[in-house]
Amino acid sequence: MIFPEYRARRLRKTPALRSLVQETRLSIRDFIYPLFIFPGKGKQEIPSMPGVYRLGVEDLAGEIKEIEKLGIPAVMLFGLPKFKDAVGSEAYKEKGVIQQAVRSIKAQKSSLAVICDLCLCEYTDHGHCGKLENGELDNDATLEILAEVVVSQARAGADLVAPSGMIDGQVQAIREALDEHGFEGIPIMAYSAKYASAFYGPFRDAAQSAPQFGDRKSYQMNPPNVREALREIQLDIDEGADIVMVKPALAYLDVIARARMECNHPIAAYNVSGEYSMIEAAARAGFLERERTIMEVLTAIKRAGADMIISYYAKEMAKVLEK
Ligand code: PBG
């Protein structure tokens, strides 16, 4: 049937009709809220991410309670250690900031899933995601450090671990380390297709993790590639990933959609810092309607095929979405 018998606008006539035929619906249960945690007390707004704060580990309890009450099912933790060194050793200390944070959330008997980011760039003085050898990332030596980090996170009580360094073999090394230490029940959320993106700019400001020289292009993916993303995803699944991730989200919706078609593992998408700050800046300038833009962007990420979305907007979404 074609026009004039068929009229597509019939089903757009009223809010009720539009609701009945709506194909994608966000739920607060789709979201993961990232937290930046430093040792000690207090709260500091991140200049390039208005409305997002770094939090002191000793003041975490209230925030966790609030997130749980809003119906958000999970948090993702990033640590901002007091000291950085060449191998990121604060990342695997028993009393490291992340280990403390996980312990305190667990002591609170929170029902939130606690996801630990598993990377060294926030912990190394050079800002790269692993150990360096002659100015280059030493892949296999980095795997040994990551294995130590994951065991310390598991001991602290992490529910999920999320390796984000794009180090070859990291999922396998982490799976082996977890299994060897009796943590075969902890799933891995692998940042499988993580691109070398300009959209991480504000995060590096938040985490003080910008590389001190060079860039991450020898380990993170080249933005023009999508078939390579599918290979990376397959490799991570073969190595034991339970959830795969595409990151960033907005400029990579085609990657999410392709991943959705070609794999049956749960897919996470990371609505990264630059995607957040871009909307905030445009809204402040009066160029965009803020709430509508946020909803449109997040819905698009789910429509593309993401099962879960890591977003700085999670708390705000809780206020507009039904549970
Ligand atoms: C690395 C890591 C990064 C992000 C999450 N994990 C930054 C990077 O690779 O430089 C970026 C998240 C964001 O931009 O919101 N540990």
Side-chain angles (χ1 to χ4, degrees):
M1 220 202 303
I2 56 159
F3 179 83
E5 286 77 24
Y6 187 79
R7 289 177 184 268
R9 287 180 53 206
R10 281 177 196 134
L11 292 175
R12 295 181 203 135
K13 215 153 128 191
T14 65
L17 286 172
R18 290 195 293 272
S19 167
L20 285 176
V21 297
Q22 180 165 329
E23 298 174 30
T24 306
R25 213 168 240 120
L26 288 170
S27 154
I28 194 57
R29 306 299 292 171
D30 301 328
F31 284 92
I32 298 169
Y33 189 57
L35 292 174
F36 300 100
I37 302 170
F38 61 84
K41 288 179 188 286
K43 177 171 166 171
Q44 314 152 349
E45 192 167 23
I46 298 159
S48 54
M49 300 177 75
V52 180
Y53 296 81
R54 302 186 191 102
L55 302 168
V57 68
E58 290 170 38
D59 288 334
L60 206 53
E63 177 76 9
I64 293 297
K65 221 177 267 158
E66 185 192 343
I67 294 168
E68 196 173 355
K69 219 163 118 207
L70 290 171
I72 298 167
V75 287
M76 178 172 252
L77 308 184
F78 294 94
L80 311 170
K82 222 181 231 143
F83 305 105
K84 304 191 186 216
D85 63 18
V87 295
S89 62
E90 281 288 319
Y92 53 82
K93 294 244 167 86
E94 199 201 320
K95 296 232 164 80
V97 62
I98 278 306
Q99 290 77 1
Q100 278 184 48
V102 178
R103 284 202 176 89
S104 87
I105 298 172
K106 290 290 156 185
Q108 229 179 303
K109 302 252 178 298
S110 163
S111 65
L112 290 176
V114 179
I115 309 173
C116 287
D117 178 69
L118 180 43
C119 189
L120 297 175
C121 62
E122 297 109 76
Y123 301 89
T124 53
D125 51 14
H126 45 70
H128 281 280
C129 300
K131 188 173 175 220
L132 299 181
E133 188 65 46
N134 303 322
E136 291 202 21
L137 194 118
D138 184 339
N139 193 88
D140 300 13
T142 300
L143 294 179
E144 290 173 28
I145 306 174
L146 291 177
E148 285 204 51
V149 178
V150 78
V151 172
S152 76
Q153 293 179 343
R155 285 194 176 124
D159 293 302
L160 259 147
V161 292
S164 64
M166 293 299 280
I167 311 299
D168 285 337
Q170 63 180 3
V171 173
Q172 182 179 53
I174 287 162
R175 184 72 270 155
E176 277 173 16
L178 287 171
D179 293 354
E180 262 170 40
H181 290 82
F183 297 111
E184 50 285 291
I186 297 186
I188 298 175
M189 172 191 274
Y191 285 67
S192 304
K194 177 174 179 180
Y195 287 88
S197 171
F199 286 98
Y200 307 148
F203 174 96
R204 292 179 187 176
D205 173 25
Q208 290 135 0
S209 65
Q212 298 303 301
F213 65 90
D215 53 43
R216 302 206 206 290
K217 290 181 185 161
S218 77
Y219 37 105
Q220 297 180 348
M221 278 185 51
N222 195 15
N225 295 358
V226 63
R227 293 190 300 270
E228 185 185 357
L230 300 174
R231 292 202 298 279
E232 281 280 7
I233 288 170
Q234 191 55 52
L235 281 168
D236 280 358
I237 290 173
D238 293 344
E239 289 182 23
D242 300 280
I243 298 171
V244 294
M245 194 196 298
V246 175
K247 179 183 169 192
L250 202 44
Y252 299 85
L253 294 178
D254 59 320
V255 182
I256 299 173
R258 286 287 296 276
R260 179 70 298 156
M261 284 194 294
E262 302 195 26
C263 90
N264 288 315
H265 276 57
I267 297 173
Y270 201 138
N271 173 223
V272 300
S273 57
E275 298 171 32
Y276 175 91
S277 301
M278 197 162 61
I279 295 176
E280 293 307 304
R284 276 165 194 234
F287 296 159
L288 282 177
E289 261 181 74
R290 185 174 175 279
E291 284 73 24
R292 283 186 62 201
T293 308
I294 297 168
M295 186 63 89
E296 189 170 330
V297 161
L298 295 172
T299 305
I301 296 169
K302 186 163 180 188
R303 189 191 63 224
D307 296 295
M308 60 199 100
I309 304 170
I310 302 158
S311 177
Y312 305 99
Y313 284 122
K315 277 169 71 175
E316 183 159 344
M317 290 310 284
K319 294 172 188 143
V320 295
L321 296 172
E322 316 117 65
K323 280 197 189 156

